[in-house]
Amino acid sequence: MAGLPRDEAGTAASYASLARPLLLPTWLIIGVFLLLPVLLMVVYSFLTKEFRGGVEWTFTLAAYEQFFVTRGLFGDEPPSIEWTYIIIFWRSIWQAALATLLCLVIGFPTAWFIATRPPQSRGIWLFLITIPYWVNLLIRTVSLRFILRDNGPLNDALIVTGLIDAPLPILNSDVAVQIGLFYSYLPFMVLPIYAAVERFEFALSEAAADLYANRWQVMLHVVLPAVRPGILAGTILVFIPALGAFLAPDLLGGAKAFMIGSLIDEQFRGSQGNWPFGAAISVILMTLVLIALFIQARAASRGAS
Amino acid sequence: MKRLLALTALAISAFSLQVTPGLAEGQLKVYHWFEYIPQELVDKFEKETGIDVTIDTFDSNEAMLASLKAGKLGQYDVTVPGDYMVEIMRNEGLLDSYTREEMPNFGNIAPEWVDAPFDPGRKHSIPYQWGSTAFSVNRDVYKGDISSLAIIFNPPDELKGKINVLDSQGEVLALGSIYLGIPQCTQDRVQLKALNDMLLAAKANWASFGSDTAKDVLVSGDAAAGMIYNGFSAKARAEGANVEYAFPKEGFVLWMDNMVLLKDAPNRANALKFMNFLLDPENAAAVTNYAAYNAGVKGVEPFLSDAVKKSPENNPPANQKGEFIKACDQETQKLYDAIWTNLKK
């Protein structure tokens, strides 16, 4: 922003000396509630597991070895790659990615629709989108159980309309988990895209159309690059929480197969827990997310230049 | 969700109960589960003895152990660990012992619970409440024989895909072992492999894993059979589900909460008075009427409410045997952890 008016720049300068003290609470909160816990997690992942919960303060790589290396059930086979946890990660990533894609497919037209309404009615549409999310996530997930079950309203309706003869076994399946994930995070996709589309200068698409671009070309070369930051933000906001979700897999998927979230949860539960291993899984997950964010940030900066 | 509720209640009770002033006869500090003793019974004890009782609560055996080890030992006189936790606490030297002369009501302990595997001869503990874990079947869906654990592990066609199992390693692996007739905490490769394979095959017939939801899925009809705690099954029946709780012929899982005398108890004499008080049949029955499990004390029958006395979930047939979940040693536990992860990967 090269052309800041003089008076605004002047105001900014007059507050400059206050910047540090005013930012102090923010730094404190980030330090105490973000950096410190993450640091603790990293430290714990290198400690020795104490039998029946807790840790001993002895350095070890055992937690990471448990994640990547197997020696068979009895621990006496030659070491080979442990696929168990990689499969669990893969399943979670796949479910989260699919949920993100579904959110995008439904969320983009929705956001577009809202952003192209007259300004005075947009607020109402946004309001309608957010209403279901005033209810706690746990309650919404349990409610989905009621809707999806064999003798629930969804199957009843399908049977009454004659589309199916017997109830579809949706509950306790991957499909139910997917519905839960998609539904939980949809507004996180709609809202940032809406913000981007609302700022979009529609004169640009009209100009493109005047220059004989067809609808696809307008969308691909004019609209999408302009709203790209909104799409990227929405993708991150959906993908990352979906990756660690454990309510939907537990309540809708029947907890039959571990996802990353439930695998970590299990490590801190009861007398069979393994805190260093739980911490190590968290560190590995966080590393993957950071790598994904890094790639995304590079893509975004390339897109901007 | 449950854990949160319990924590909130813990916070509230810790505040409200600690303000009573000390009386002449001294104090008693109880570390107890949330909502596991009727207040009227505590009042009765205070009135009879003049001892001032303070109760703090916890919500899991592990939380209680951690808190005692973190410095609360020496602040409490008695606490109420589950069966396997008594053994762990005993091995860690957290328990004091008493003699039978110090416990006049010792003879009231039901004979089958005197020699508990986790406290042989009852030197540190007295029975508080006990119950069982097996399974229940919706009798509208399946009318056949339900006397075998095969209902869960090798189900008839009517129940395939309609079974909920507890999302709890201890119960699932113990019941699986009982079904196969192999001991718990075994290191025998053939037996462990058989357990692993049997569970994997059985999982194909299961609809879901869930512990907190174990009752709800039976009431709603999402599951037609389910591994369940006896108390949960009784509640499902009370809520109108046509479920029958089974005491399988192969055996079932037993659990027992016990009141133990803690090491370095500040009011040891009062603690013994309280434990002795709880072994009185009328008082033991009061706890049972409140918690709806079983007392483990002789002579409670005349004092039990009809609902508890007649509850089929509380009265295993005399010839059917249950066993406690064993606390394995660290090396053996690793094998069971691996089987559980393998089942849920």
Side-chain angles (χ1 to χ4, degrees):
Chain A
M1 299 286 266
L4 265 186
R6 263 191 87 98
D7 51 348
E8 275 183 33
T11 312
S14 72
Y15 283 119
S17 60
L18 282 173
R20 271 163 193 270
L22 284 177
L23 279 175
L24 192 66
T26 311
W27 280 114
L28 267 178
I29 287 171
I30 291 177
V32 173
F33 293 111
L34 180 77
L35 295 180
L36 198 65
V38 168
L39 192 71
L40 262 179
M41 192 175 78
V42 173
V43 170
Y44 265 60
S45 74
F46 290 106
L47 296 179
T48 305
K49 170 199 175 182
E50 191 182 342
F51 191 42
R52 306 193 194 290
V55 288
E56 285 164 25
W57 286 83
T58 324
F59 173 86
T60 173
L61 287 171
Y64 292 94
E65 196 189 330
Q66 183 181 347
F67 191 96
F68 291 110
V69 183
T70 178
R71 289 185 170 79
L73 180 57
F74 296 96
D76 54 2
E77 292 164 27
S80 59
I81 297 176
E82 172 67 276
W83 289 104
T84 306
Y85 305 110
I86 297 174
I87 290 169
I88 292 168
F89 265 61
W90 173 247
R91 182 186 301 129
S92 300
I93 291 170
W94 162 244
Q95 284 275 24
L98 191 61
T100 311
L101 187 70
L102 281 176
C103 282
L104 184 61
V105 169
I106 307 280
F108 185 83
T110 311
W112 183 273
F113 174 82
I114 297 172
T116 51
R117 291 314 94 189
Q120 61 271 27
S121 63
R122 285 178 205 165
I124 296 173
W125 287 107
L126 284 178
F127 183 69
L128 288 176
I129 290 278
T130 52
I131 279 182
Y133 298 87
W134 296 3
V135 179
N136 178 286
L137 176 63
L138 178 65
I139 311 258
R140 273 183 286 132
T141 310
V142 171
S143 310
L144 266 181
R145 270 190 77 96
F146 286 90
I147 294 172
L148 297 178
R149 65 170 43 141
D150 286 2
N151 47 7
L154 179 68
N155 271 311
D156 284 353
L158 288 174
I159 290 174
V160 166
T161 55
L163 284 171
I164 53 172
D165 300 325
L168 293 173
I170 303 173
L171 192 61
N172 299 323
S173 71
D174 283 352
V175 177
V177 175
Q178 187 50 238
I179 292 173
L181 288 178
F182 154 73
Y183 169 68
S184 302
Y185 300 113
L186 183 60
F188 297 120
M189 185 64 89
V190 173
L191 297 178
I193 297 183
Y194 163 78
V197 175
E198 198 199 21
R199 280 196 307 259
F200 179 66
E201 190 56 70
F202 281 92
L204 291 174
S205 55
E206 283 165 24
D210 285 347
L211 295 169
Y212 299 104
N214 63 28
R215 288 173 146 207
W216 265 114
Q217 287 167 318
V218 171
M219 182 53 83
L220 217 57
H221 297 294
V222 181
V223 177
L224 278 182
V227 300
R228 194 182 143 104
I231 293 177
L232 283 175
T235 305
I236 292 170
L237 288 178
V238 173
F239 182 73
I240 291 176
L243 200 53
F246 66 91
L247 276 182
D250 267 17
L251 291 173
L252 300 172
K256 274 187 288 187
F258 279 130
M259 300 272 276
I260 299 176
S262 42
L263 180 67
I264 295 174
D265 181 47
E266 180 94 3
Q267 306 310 318
F268 293 93
R269 259 200 324 194
S271 56
Q272 276 97 19
N274 186 341
W275 294 10
F277 186 53
I281 304 168
S282 308
V283 170
I284 293 167
L285 174 63
M286 199 172 64
T287 311
L288 284 178
V289 169
L290 282 177
I291 291 173
L293 283 181
F294 180 71
I295 293 172
Q296 185 269 330
R298 284 196 49 174
S301 66
R302 207 179 302 137
S305 63
Chain B
M1 188 170 43
K2 224 191 223 172
R3 218 174 293 170
L4 260 183
L5 275 177
L7 275 177
T8 318
L10 185 149
I12 294 168
S13 62
F15 277 110
S16 59
L17 288 170
Q18 269 176 344
V19 289
T20 33
L23 299 172
E25 297 303 324
Q27 304 208 334
L28 176 70
K29 304 267 190 201
V30 180
Y31 199 25
H32 209 335
W33 296 82
F34 173 60
E35 282 197 352
Y36 204 5
I37 189 163
Q39 185 58 42
E40 303 81 58
L41 192 64
V42 179
D43 295 344
K44 183 182 169 193
F45 177 74
E46 288 187 323
K47 221 170 125 193
E48 277 182 13
T49 61
I51 294 167
D52 176 24
V53 180
T54 308
I55 302 181
D56 288 345
T57 61
F58 56 84
D59 68 338
S60 79
N61 278 303
E62 285 71 26
M64 179 263 292
L65 177 70
S67 145
L68 287 176
K69 282 170 79 178
K72 290 275 178 75
L73 192 68
Q75 293 182 25
Y76 294 109
D77 301 301
V78 291
T79 187
V80 186
D83 38 80
Y84 70 100
M85 190 51 73
V86 174
E87 191 169 356
I88 292 171
M89 293 174 77
R90 189 163 58 94
N91 290 339
E92 300 216 3
L94 302 176
L95 303 183
D96 193 0
S97 56
Y98 62 84
T99 62
R100 296 200 181 181
E101 291 73 45
E102 289 177 305
M103 194 71 71
N105 284 340
F106 190 91
N108 290 349
I109 298 177
E112 65 268 31
W113 300 122
V114 172
D115 218 19
F118 45 83
D119 183 13
R122 291 281 178 188
K123 296 184 177 66
H124 315 272
S125 67
I126 60 162
Y128 188 75
Q129 291 282 289
W130 65 272
S132 65
T133 307
F135 65 88
S136 288
V137 176
N138 185 328
R139 289 312 226 158
D140 294 335
V141 178
Y142 183 70
K143 298 191 168 61
D145 177 41
I146 59 165
S147 67
S148 166
L149 279 166
I151 291 286
I152 299 294
F153 296 112
N154 186 16
D157 287 339
E158 295 96 314
L159 294 174
K160 280 182 177 158
K162 293 178 186 163
I163 294 171
N164 179 65
V165 297
L166 295 172
D167 195 6
S168 162
Q169 180 177 339
E171 270 91 2
V172 173
L173 298 190
L175 279 173
S177 302
I178 292 171
Y179 173 60
L180 291 181
I182 61 180
Q184 296 184 54
C185 296
T186 179
Q187 289 199 336
D188 184 297
R189 295 188 169 210
V190 180
Q191 292 179 339
L192 287 171
K193 185 83 175 47
L195 179 62
N196 183 57
D197 296 347
M198 186 279 288
L199 289 171
L200 281 179
K203 187 188 173 188
N205 298 317
W206 295 344
S208 55
F209 286 82
S211 298
D212 291 349
T213 54
K215 183 198 71 176
D216 297 333
V217 291
L218 283 174
V219 174
S220 71
D222 286 349
M227 216 179 264
I228 199 165
Y229 317 107
N230 64 332
F232 261 33
S233 184
K235 284 188 183 119
R237 190 166 52 81
E239 288 176 23
N242 183 19
V243 294
E244 183 177 341
Y245 184 73
F247 289 98
K249 60 183 182 215
E250 296 91 346
F252 47 89
V253 165
L254 275 178
W255 58 260
M256 177 174 246
D257 290 327
N258 310 268
M259 184 161 282
V260 294
L261 184 60
L262 284 168
K263 198 182 146 210
D264 302 333
N267 314 288
R268 187 172 182 278
N270 291 347
L272 289 170
K273 273 186 201 160
F274 189 55
M275 290 166 82
N276 197 55
F277 172 83
L278 288 174
L279 284 179
D280 185 274
E282 189 177 352
N283 300 332
V287 178
T288 296
N289 286 336
Y290 177 79
Y293 297 116
N294 294 54
V297 170
K298 280 192 295 193
V300 290
E301 289 75 15
F303 307 105
L304 290 178
S305 69
D306 271 1
V308 171
K309 209 187 305 183
K310 290 184 186 147
S311 157
E313 292 84 1
N314 278 359
N315 296 293
N319 52 343
Q320 243 92 310
K321 279 270 170 259
E323 50 182 281
F324 291 105
I325 296 177
K326 287 208 177 85
C328 311
D329 64 65
Q330 191 161 359
E331 280 311 302
T332 316
Q333 188 60 48
K334 255 191 200 166
L335 305 174
Y336 283 88
D337 289 351
I339 290 176
W340 178 248
T341 308
N342 200 32
L343 181 63
K344 292 199 68 182
K345 78 176 173 198

